[in-house]
Amino acid sequence: MKYTSKNLENTETMPTAERILFRLKTKGSASTAQLAQELAMTAEAARLQVQKLLAEDLIKGAQEISSGAGRPKQNWELSAAGHARFPDSHAYLTVQLIGSIRQLFGEEGLERLIAQREGEMRSDYLHACQSQNSIPRKLEKLAGLRAAEGYMARVEKQGKDWLLIEDHCPICAAAQSCQGFCRSELQLFQEVIGDEASVTREEHLLAGARRCVYRIHPES
């Protein structure tokens, strides 16, 4: 199953193996027992599904460092092949195109392309969010726009703050090839929220995190 933003909307209809992949993608590593509990499965059923995903090279082991005596706890996380099951916006072709643009038009030409993309995103986001009259409503609208683009975006409340969480980056290959593609997102999110709150990036996929997380802190 190759995920799209359409079938990510309802995980309840997914086969069990796909639900495990989705769980690991959105919440990080987990043990077999955790997967069984969270997905309402028997321990044996969870073990069989884990073994199936291991055989298909979709997950890999990730030992949890123990602070006490005893053997490290065995967790599971997505492998590169597992991550590749989620939307990537034609990663290989995109990277090829970036290389061709660099070769034909130089860095200046690539910068113009990035600036045009930034301008289009700014226009779309501001237009969609300007009618929302509170921080939570702006964030829900923004998360909806990003989710539709394949970012698996969601909003969580944390004390007085909100977190805009993006569990997936559909342009990750492009961003790794040219980091200018995601350089302006922090500034853009700040423009969408306005002066009511500050926006900071706490986790960044390109810095080695498994996802991107932005903290929105009310100024008053």
Side-chain angles (χ1 to χ4, degrees):
M1 179 178 182
K2 189 75 171 181
Y3 292 96
T4 66
S5 58
K6 181 67 175 178
N7 54 39
L8 287 175
E9 294 174 0
N10 185 6
T11 61
E12 294 181 359
T13 60
M14 290 181 183
T16 302
E18 302 297 337
R19 291 173 62 210
I20 291 176
L21 293 180
F22 186 84
R23 157 60 180 80
L24 296 178
K25 177 67 174 175
T26 56
K27 296 183 180 180
S29 62
S31 66
T32 303
Q34 281 180 283
L35 293 172
Q37 181 179 12
E38 292 182 23
L39 301 180
M41 305 163 57
T42 65
E44 178 63 16
R47 188 187 68 79
L48 290 174
Q49 291 293 339
V50 164
Q51 292 303 314
K52 173 185 174 183
L53 293 171
L54 276 172
E56 295 176 0
D57 195 31
L58 294 174
I59 63 174
K60 61 182 181 179
Q63 288 191 341
E64 181 178 308
I65 300 176
S66 176
S67 58
R71 297 178 59 184
K73 183 179 179 181
Q74 177 67 68
N75 287 341
W76 307 105
E77 63 184 24
L78 293 185
S79 65
H83 281 291
R85 298 288 283 268
F86 294 82
D88 64 0
S89 293
H90 310 291
Y92 180 70
L93 175 61
T94 302
V95 172
Q96 280 191 317
L97 289 173
I98 290 172
S100 296
I101 292 170
R102 271 199 176 107
Q103 186 175 10
L104 291 172
F105 304 108
E107 290 296 330
E108 182 181 353
L110 186 57
E111 283 296 317
R112 291 177 62 186
L113 173 66
I114 293 171
Q116 179 176 334
R117 175 179 180 270
E118 291 173 353
E120 291 173 352
M121 290 171 61
R122 178 173 288 102
S123 177
D124 291 343
Y125 290 4
L126 291 177
H127 177 74
C129 298
Q130 65 182 357
S131 61
Q132 308 305 314
N133 56 12
S134 67
I135 294 175
R137 295 188 63 173
K138 287 181 179 179
L139 283 173
E140 289 296 342
K141 188 68 174 181
L142 178 60
L145 292 170
R146 299 289 284 180
E149 294 172 6
Y151 286 89
M152 294 174 65
R154 53 195 170 90
V155 177
E156 288 186 3
K157 191 76 166 66
Q158 190 176 84
K160 295 181 178 180
D161 298 347
W162 289 269
L163 298 179
L164 174 62
I165 300 170
E166 296 183 341
D167 289 308
H168 182 66
C169 177
I171 63 163
C172 183
Q176 288 175 332
S177 179
C178 177
Q179 295 194 15
F181 277 100
C182 70
R183 71 183 175 198
S184 65
E185 290 178 335
L186 182 59
Q187 179 182 344
L188 178 55
F189 295 164
Q190 182 67 71
E191 290 184 39
V192 169
I193 300 304
D195 298 333
E196 302 172 71
S198 61
V199 181
T200 55
R201 181 189 280 129
E202 292 200 339
E203 297 179 39
H204 193 197
L205 194 147
L206 293 186
R210 69 176 180 85
R211 61 186 185 177
C212 289
V213 177
Y214 301 85
R215 179 175 295 275
I216 296 84
H217 177 70
E219 292 294 350
S220 58

